[in-house]
Amino acid sequence: MEKIPFNKPYMTGKELDNIARAHSNGHLSGDGPFTHECHARLEALVGTKKALLTHSCTAALEMAAILLDLAPGDEVIMPSYTFVSTANAFVLRGAIPVFVDIREDTLNIDETLIENAITEKTKAICVVHYAGVSCEMDSIMDLAGRYGLYVIEDAAQGIFSAYKGRALGSIGHLAALSFHETKNIISGEGGALLVNDERLAERAEIIREKGTNRSRFFRGQVDKYTWVDVGSSFLPGEITAAFLLAQLDAGAAITAGRMGVWSNYDNWATSSSLAIRRPVIPDACTHNAHMYYLLTESLDARTHLISGLRESGIQAVFHYLPLHSSPAGRLYGRAHGDLPVTIKVSDTLVRLPLWLGIESAQQRITDAIERVMSQERAA
Ligand SMILES: *Cc1c(COP(=O)(O)O)cnc(C)c1O
């Protein structure tokens, strides 16, 4: 029986050609021709003022925290149902993550709970577009405007997704993308900071280049290249950018292919009589088929399903443990309320394998889910 992994990185076939070109043109450090081309592609795709490649989405979020001048004690509102980097990036500046519950439908931060979590210490809201499905950005941007808060989009899963026709990553003041190999568009490790607020653009370049004005120097805008601010080394080398450019070139086709896989699962789930809940995509959202998940009735039902699928050679996995109740979350953060939806979803969500090339095995997967879950119901 052939094993079906949860993830399988998709290669376009053009990556090595690009890497060979980077190799022969001899520019291997960051910000060479491949990086500049990736910046231009991302700026056009997302419609952002400035895209800057980073070595990860984590790095882009850390840059965002530096750019916003967060100081110890400042608060950043975010979901608890997210990856650790969403919180860690701010904790590294001494800021306090304030964890808010998520919506039952999209599993994104519940925008109706944010206002009550705002204090005089609140500086920013960091939203996460779970599964590449947008948060309710109109309400969130409106709220942020009224309280003078920054909005950062953790759009790690959101490339090629949109909210009311606007690309994810183009709506907040800042946004972060991920090109980790588990995402839709990949470069192994990789990410980008998207700067939509023009006032932050020049300083973003400086922070990314170890706190120097190197970018301005290379553009001939200053005649000395010197230390002007805090910063670190956040940029990837050209080999990574060369790989990424091949993926960006194929981005629309990759997204369409994933959508086919996603729809196969969804067509099955729609007609299945099992006790499962399928993903909800609000009318305002165009998603990118980053993830197909199911919600089971209970933790027991999910454990039974994951182990039953494993016995059939199929790797399905759960996702985030709530950050607010994790050891570091308790130490560095604060929960706003009891977060019942976060706790429930963390116990009951299961992600199905989703990658290009899996199409012919999807029937085997859905048959196995039907078999395993009806066994449980009979027991
Ligand atoms: C993947 C992911 C990250 C981290 O991305 P890296 O590129 O691995 O640093 C952050 N936030 C979310 C929501 C993610 O899904």
Side-chain angles (χ1 to χ4, degrees), residues 54-64 83-86 88-89 92 154 156 176-178 189-192 234:
T54 55
H55 49 75
S56 63
C57 177
T58 301
L61 291 166
E62 288 175 17
M63 284 182 65
F83 190 60
V84 291
S85 296
T86 317
N88 248 335
L92 277 168
D154 180 339
L177 299 175
S178 176
E189 302 282 350
F234 288 114

Side-chain angles (χ1 to χ4, degrees), residues 114-318:
I114 296 175
E115 188 161 11
N116 272 331
I118 296 174
T119 71
E120 69 281 1
K121 287 286 193 181
T122 308
K123 288 285 158 60
I125 303 167
C126 186
V127 301
V128 178
H129 303 300
Y130 189 69
V133 178
S134 180
C135 297
E136 189 33 60
M137 292 309 291
D138 277 351
S139 323
I140 293 167
M141 294 310 292
D142 176 65
L143 185 67
R146 282 193 280 123
Y147 284 87
L149 306 176
Y150 283 107
V151 174
I152 303 134
E153 298 178 71
D154 180 339
Q157 305 171 16
I159 195 168
F160 284 97
S161 289
Y163 170 77
K164 300 188 179 171
R166 301 164 68 189
L168 299 193
S170 72
I171 304 168
H173 300 85
L174 294 166
L177 299 175
S178 176
F179 305 118
H180 185 266
E181 78 164 42
T182 52
K183 303 303 199 291
N184 288 21
I185 305 296
I186 63 175
S187 60
E189 302 282 350
L193 178 72
L194 307 177
V195 185
N196 299 317
D197 183 337
E198 216 139 17
R199 295 168 301 173
L200 301 173
E202 188 180 324
R203 192 161 173 241
E205 286 185 332
I206 290 169
I207 287 167
R208 177 168 166 271
E209 267 287 13
K210 303 99 183 164
T212 70
N213 56 357
R214 195 166 191 261
S215 304
R216 295 196 71 194
F217 175 72
F218 278 117
R219 285 197 297 263
Q221 293 166 327
V222 288
D223 58 8
K224 284 195 203 67
Y225 147 39
T226 186
W227 184 23
V228 296
D229 202 338
V230 295
S232 188
S233 181
F234 288 114
L235 64 172
E238 277 285 282
I239 302 283
T240 299
F243 191 106
L244 180 63
L245 185 61
Q247 293 266 322
L248 287 172
D249 279 341
I254 291 172
T255 307
R258 293 183 71 96
M259 195 58 76
V261 175
W262 194 96
S263 301
N264 290 342
Y265 281 135
D266 203 51
N267 291 337
W268 157 74
T270 305
S271 62
S272 172
S273 57
L274 294 173
I276 46 173
R277 209 214 79 189
R278 36 187 207 97
V280 174
I281 314 293
D283 287 342
C285 301
T286 312
H287 74 107
N288 61 358
H290 174 61
M291 189 192 301
Y292 199 86
Y293 64 79
L294 298 172
L295 292 164
T296 59
E297 279 184 307
S298 63
L299 175 59
D300 280 351
R302 182 183 73 180
T303 305
H304 176 82
L305 175 59
I306 290 178
S307 66
L309 291 177
R310 194 189 311 115
E311 281 163 28
S312 306
I314 299 161
Q315 190 188 18
V317 295
F318 57 86

